[in-house]
């Protein structure tokens, strides 16, 4: 059972006050009548009144008041099935969180710049669902497809290269994770891959073909520079220069019919990506079933109306017995 407007229960404290007011009003009326009426007439009048029926009418009025309050709090029980429809696209971001994303050839570093781009993108969405995948040597589904953008922002703020499940960079496994995410939704959609393009196993292009066959279009966003930056392996201490591999990212995008974009400090490309997506992709109508509580306030409202009608039909006077001649 669920109560929708619990605060109206405070009105129940007025039930004793209402009873006191009705009784006091009756006594006040009797005193006024006694003051202006002849004593004999007053005794005859009191003799005709029925304490039982007067008490019954008072009880019914108080019960009507209680039932109205119960109706106002809108009690709900039992369930009904309802289909909810929404329009929009399914968009999954696959964000590289490998150690190479800590490079500072784009300020403040590649990963932070990527997160800022995604946050700016999410701020402009309305009815689309968004999912977040982080990946390095292994992918992690940080946030499944959802229209709760606040939850998406919280996930984005928690991403760092320290959260990588495994050292290295494997874009192909991230694409596999994205494929599972789309299949769990309505199928098809848009994947935005944000990376510096380093792919150690080198199987990303083949995995991109699999996604394209499922109707997923991939847009890639390269972060970094051709000159690169020096990266230190935290486990071995070895150093190497990490450069943007734009060619691999462009091939991944081309295979699926998407486009490649280069992330810049100005963040102007995010507007171009959003415009391209809405121009090339079609919105899908999503239907999902949900179970909602049934409103039951009408039961108490009808009962209150019936009792109020019954109270109006009850006379406060004693019933006169018919004499048989």
């Amino acid at each position: 059972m669920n109560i929708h407007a619990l605060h109206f229960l405070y009105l129940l404290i007025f039930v004793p006050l209402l009873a006191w007011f009705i009784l006091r009003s009756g006594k006040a009326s009797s005193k006024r009548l006694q003051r202006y009426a002849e004593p004999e007439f007053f005794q005859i009048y009191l003799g005709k009144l029925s304490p039982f029926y007067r008490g019954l009418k008072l009880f019914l009025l108080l019960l009507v008041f209680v039932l109205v309050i119960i109706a106002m709090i809108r009690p709900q029980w039992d369930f009904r099935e309802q289909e909810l429809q929404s329009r929009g696209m399914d968009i999954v971001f696959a964000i590289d969180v490998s150690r190479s994303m800590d490079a500072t050839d784009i300020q403040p570093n590649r990963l932070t710049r990527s997160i800022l781009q995604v946050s700016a993108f999410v701020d402009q969405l309305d009815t689309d669902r968004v999912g977040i995948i982080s990946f390095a040597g292994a992918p992690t589904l940080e946030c499944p497809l959802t229209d709760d953008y606040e939850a998406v922002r919280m996930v984005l703020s928690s991403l760092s290269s320290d959260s990588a499940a495994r050292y290295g960079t494997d874009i192909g496994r991230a694409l596999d994770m994205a494929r599972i995410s789309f299949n769990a939704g309505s199928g098809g959609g848009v994947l935005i891959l944000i990376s510096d393009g380093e792919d150690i196993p080198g199987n990303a292009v083949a995995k991109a073909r699999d996604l394209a066959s499922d109707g997923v279009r991939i847009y890639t966003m390269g972060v970094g520079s051709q000159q690169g930056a020096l990266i230190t392996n935290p486990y071995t201490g070895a150093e190497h220069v990490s450069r943007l591999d734009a060619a691999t990212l462009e091939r991944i995008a081309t295979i699926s019919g998407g486009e490649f974009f280069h992330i810049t400090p100005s963040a102007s490309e995010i507007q171009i990506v959003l415009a391209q997506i809405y121009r090339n992709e079609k919105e899908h109508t999503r239907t999902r079933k949900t179970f909602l509580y049934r409103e039951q306030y009408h039961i108490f409202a009808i009962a209150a109306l019936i009792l109020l009608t019954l109270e109006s039909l009850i006379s406060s006077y004693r019933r006169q017995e018919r004499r048989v001649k």
Side-chain angles (χ1 to χ4, degrees), residues 114-131:
S114 301
I115 293 173
L116 291 173
Q117 291 274 13
V118 178
S119 297
F121 189 98
V122 172
D123 288 342
Q124 300 180 63
L125 299 181
D126 186 15
T127 60
D128 306 303
R129 294 194 303 177
V130 180

Side-chain angles (χ1 to χ4, degrees), residues 18-32:
L18 179 63
W20 175 82
F21 177 77
I22 294 175
L23 290 174
R24 188 174 181 278
S25 298
K27 291 181 180 180
S29 298
S30 297
K31 287 183 179 181
R32 285 195 299 269

Side-chain angles (χ1 to χ4, degrees), residues 14-307:
F14 292 103
V15 173
L17 294 176
L18 179 63
W20 175 82
F21 177 77
I22 294 175
L23 290 174
R24 188 174 181 278
S25 298
K27 291 181 180 180
S29 298
S30 297
K31 287 183 179 181
R32 285 195 299 269
L33 183 62
Q34 188 177 9
R35 183 182 303 173
Y36 297 107
E38 293 292 333
E40 295 81 3
F41 176 78
F42 183 71
Q43 293 300 325
I44 294 173
Y45 172 74
L46 287 181
K48 291 183 178 181
L49 293 177
S50 170
F52 172 77
Y53 288 119
R54 294 182 70 185
L56 179 60
K57 287 172 69 68
L58 173 61
F59 172 76
L60 290 177
L61 285 175
L62 294 178
L63 188 56
V64 166
F65 186 67
V66 172
L67 290 174
V68 169
I69 294 175
I70 296 176
M72 289 173 65
I73 67 175
R74 291 174 59 187
Q76 302 167 341
W77 65 80
D78 200 3
F79 293 96
R80 60 185 175 88
E81 185 180 289
Q82 181 173 337
E83 289 189 349
L84 300 179
Q85 289 189 342
S86 59
R87 296 185 61 83
M89 291 180 291
D90 288 343
I91 303 173
V92 173
F93 289 92
I95 304 173
D96 190 345
V97 294
S98 61
R99 293 291 175 179
S100 62
M101 293 292 286
D102 288 332
T104 57
D105 50 354
I106 181 171
Q107 295 297 320
N109 60 50
R110 295 176 182 177
L111 181 56
T112 302
R113 180 57 58 184
S114 301
I115 293 173
L116 291 173
Q117 291 274 13
V118 178
S119 297
F121 189 98
V122 172
D123 288 342
Q124 300 180 63
L125 299 181
D126 186 15
T127 60
D128 306 303
R129 294 194 303 177
V130 180
I132 302 292
I133 295 173
S134 67
F135 70 94
T140 301
L141 181 60
E142 302 285 355
C143 178
L145 286 165
T146 179
D147 54 8
D148 186 351
Y149 298 147
E150 191 59 38
V152 173
R153 293 185 186 95
M154 290 178 61
V155 169
L156 289 172
S157 65
S158 67
L159 294 182
S160 71
S161 57
D162 294 329
S163 63
R166 185 183 301 174
Y167 184 74
T169 307
D170 191 340
I171 296 178
R173 294 184 67 179
L175 297 182
D176 282 337
M177 176 70 74
R179 191 178 188 187
I180 295 172
S181 301
F182 284 118
N183 288 338
S186 57
V190 174
L191 173 65
I192 301 179
L193 174 66
I194 303 178
S195 174
D196 52 23
E198 290 187 350
D199 183 31
I200 297 173
N203 59 355
V205 175
K207 299 296 184 180
R209 288 195 182 94
D210 296 335
L211 266 175
S213 65
D214 289 346
V216 176
R217 197 187 303 265
I218 305 173
Y219 294 84
T220 56
M221 301 186 71
V223 56
S225 64
Q226 298 293 340
Q227 295 78 20
L230 192 63
I231 299 297
T232 302
N233 189 314
Y235 302 103
T236 64
E239 295 182 341
H240 76 281
V241 176
S242 173
R243 296 183 175 87
L244 171 64
D245 186 356
T248 298
L249 294 174
E250 192 165 1
R251 287 182 63 194
I252 292 173
T254 302
I255 285 173
S256 66
E259 293 186 52
F260 166 75
F261 299 89
H262 187 196
I263 290 180
T264 62
S266 65
S268 58
E269 61 279 359
I270 201 66
Q271 302 293 337
I272 302 174
V273 174
L274 190 62
Q276 285 291 92
I277 289 176
Y278 280 119
R279 182 161 50 246
N280 295 335
E281 309 302 324
K282 294 181 179 179
E283 289 187 338
H284 301 282
T285 300
R286 297 186 296 267
T287 302
R288 59 186 178 92
K289 292 183 179 180
T290 186
F291 293 92
L292 304 175
Y293 279 110
R294 292 182 183 273
E295 293 278 3
Q296 307 292 350
Y297 68 90
H298 60 278
I299 297 176
F300 301 94
I302 293 173
L305 182 61
I306 293 173
L307 292 180

